Amino acid sequence: MTNINSPKYSAEDMGRSRECETVCKTAITEVVRRAVAAGWREEEIALHLADAAENYVMYLATKAKRKAMAANSN
């Protein structure tokens, strides 16, 4: 699997969002390619990735409020 590098931008920098989008797109594309190669249909993988992302967003929304901070303090 592709290694995911630490962000180059601080948490307040607008470039961080674009960088995160690129990192996520690359990782998701690799997951889809591997799943298709294993015999899964691209459409079903996309649907379940979207469901998993939505579920995670809901999980984050229901967690106790906390100060947003990058894991590596970047």
Side-chain angles (χ1 to χ4, degrees), residues 1 11 26 31 35 40 45 51 55-56 58-59 62 69 71 73:
M1 272 196 117
T26 301
V31 167
W40 296 96
I45 297 302
D51 286 345
N55 290 341
Y56 196 74
M58 294 304 294
Y59 161 75
T62 59
M69 182 186 324
S73 298

Side-chain angles (χ1 to χ4, degrees), residues 23-68:
V23 167
C24 289
K25 182 179 178 182
T26 301
I28 291 168
T29 298
E30 183 172 341
V31 167
V32 171
R33 285 183 183 156
R34 292 179 65 197
V36 169
W40 296 96
R41 292 177 310 184
E42 191 172 23
E43 296 81 5
E44 65 190 334
I45 297 302
L47 177 63
H48 291 290
L49 283 172
D51 286 345
E54 181 179 9
N55 290 341
Y56 196 74
V57 168
M58 294 304 294
Y59 161 75
L60 291 176
T62 59
K63 282 181 69 171
K65 298 296 180 197
R66 58 185 167 73
K67 182 180 175 189

Side-chain angles (χ1 to χ4, degrees), residues 7 16 68-74:
R16 187 180 181 101
M69 182 186 324
N72 61 2
S73 298
N74 277 348

